[in-house]
């Protein structure tokens, strides 16, 4: 099978759910298929050597017309059975590239919908006084999402929550070909290398402390400020049991550091944690926290945490509700609030402290997830 993947970002050039899903699927598909990639320019890393086929780095986000022209040449040069897009913007470049054909063909185009583009922009720019960013950009994005819904037949979602989000843009989406395939996890990579005691020792954490760990992009939507304030709400005796490790980078870090000042002895900002270091953080953790405020479609890090034997505590939001129904050690706070987080942390830290849990994640290995996509394509 000849497959073309179009993605505006790709791991490890960038980190995040959608670019990791794209990368992991390509990694599996290329074992028995021909897979070409149309993506953005390299940033700090080069992953071209990780792929067997061609990587076209002509996706220029600031110049969609140029990108579409380059993609058109790729489409004319190659014969693809399947086109896979990983964002509304990625699909739009394909749409522009094929716009001047007699008829836009969408039978073999499969669109993996990772989240509502315009709503993410609204949340991102909510506190911005620039009207261009606050109003105009989300409006343009919404218009493209409407076109995306109208022009396509085949949509793949990681959770039913994300289908519902797209249905809010166009309710007729439920009449299209909608497939549900969850995210995956590399079970070989996410295996414990340390005991809990050794990991805490390596990170210079008191062995008697209950370690709360979160690994997120540092922006307001992720709700980490609520997590910090939940610790602030505890009395001194309750709070002294915990160390909160915050992994990740982002423009919201200064705000979070300011909020954490009153309890700075209980909070560690680990910054960006490279892949080779992440194992010890998971091994030290007693509870992995996902305090997202909104638009959490799936969260690959949830599976990674469970694979490492670390239970998850999440806010009752989006795809987190679906995951709580599937996994025994995936727990939800009673409400998406600071008080709700505080109560849930106190409750589940007692249940899980110093424990290593077991979850059966065999069917979530990326090999099986990638095969589910291929089965749909072959139909």
């Amino acid at each position: 099978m000849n497959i073309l993947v179009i993605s505006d970002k790709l791991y490890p050039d960038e980190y995040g759910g959608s670019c990791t899903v794209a990368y992991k699927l390509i990694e599996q598909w290329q074992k028995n298929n021909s897979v070409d990639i149309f993506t953005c320019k390299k940033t700090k890393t080069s992953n071209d050597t990780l792929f067997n086929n061609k990587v076209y780095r002509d996706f220029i986000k600031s110049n969609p017309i140029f990108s579409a022209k380059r993609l058109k040449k790729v489409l004319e040069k190659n014969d693809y059975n399947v086109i896979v897009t990983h964002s509304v913007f990625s699909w739009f470049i394909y749409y522009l590239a094929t716009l001047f054909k007699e008829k836009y063909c969408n039978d073999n185009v499969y669109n993996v919908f990772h989240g509502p583009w315009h709503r993410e922009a609204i949340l991102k720019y909510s506190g911005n006084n620039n009207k261009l960013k606050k109003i105009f950009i989300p409006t343009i994005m919404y218009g493209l999402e409407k076109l995306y819904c109208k022009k396509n037949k085949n949509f793949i979602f990681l959770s039913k929550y994300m289908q519902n989000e797209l249905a809010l843009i166009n309710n007729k989406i439920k009449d299209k070909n909608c497939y549900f395939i969850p995210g995956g996890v590399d079970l070989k990579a996410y295996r414990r290398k340390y005991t809990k005691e050794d990991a805490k020792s390596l990170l210079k954490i008191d062995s008697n402390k209950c370690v709360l760990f979160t690994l997120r992009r540092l922006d307001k939507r992720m709700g980490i400020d609520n997590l910090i304030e939940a610790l602030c709400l505890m009395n001194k005796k309750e709070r002294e049991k915990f160390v909160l490790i915050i992994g990740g980078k982002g423009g919201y870090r200064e705000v979070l550091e300011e909020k954490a000042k009153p309890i700075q002895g209980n909070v560690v900002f680990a910054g960006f944690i490279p892949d080779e270091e992440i194992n010890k953080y998971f091994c030290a953790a007693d509870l992995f926290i996902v305090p997202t405020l909104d638009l959490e479609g799936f969260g690959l890090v949830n599976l990674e945490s469970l694979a490492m034997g670390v239970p998850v505590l999440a806010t009752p939001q989006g795809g987190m509700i679906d995951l709580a129904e599937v996994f025994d050690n995936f727990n939800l706070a009673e409400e998406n609030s600071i008080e709700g987080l505080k109560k849930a942390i106190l409750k589940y830290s007692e249940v899980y402290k110093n424990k290593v849990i077991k979850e059966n994640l065999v069917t979530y290995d990326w090999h099986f997830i990638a095969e589910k996509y291929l089965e749909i394509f072959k139909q």
Side-chain angles (χ1 to χ4, degrees), residues 63 91 231 236 288 343 355:
N63 195 336
W91 167 80
L231 287 180
K236 186 176 180 181
F288 187 81
K343 289 179 180 178
K355 291 185 179 178

Side-chain angles (χ1 to χ4, degrees), residues 282-327:
F282 273 120
C283 287
D286 293 286
L287 201 57
F288 187 81
I289 315 285
V290 185
T292 314
L293 297 176
D294 201 0
L295 297 179
E296 189 69 64
F298 187 84
L300 300 179
V301 72
N302 294 312
L303 296 184
E304 293 163 0
S305 180
L306 294 173
M308 291 290 297
V310 183
V312 177
L313 169 62
T315 48
Q317 193 279 321
M320 304 302 91
I321 298 171
D322 294 342
L323 289 174
E325 294 175 356
V326 176
F327 298 109

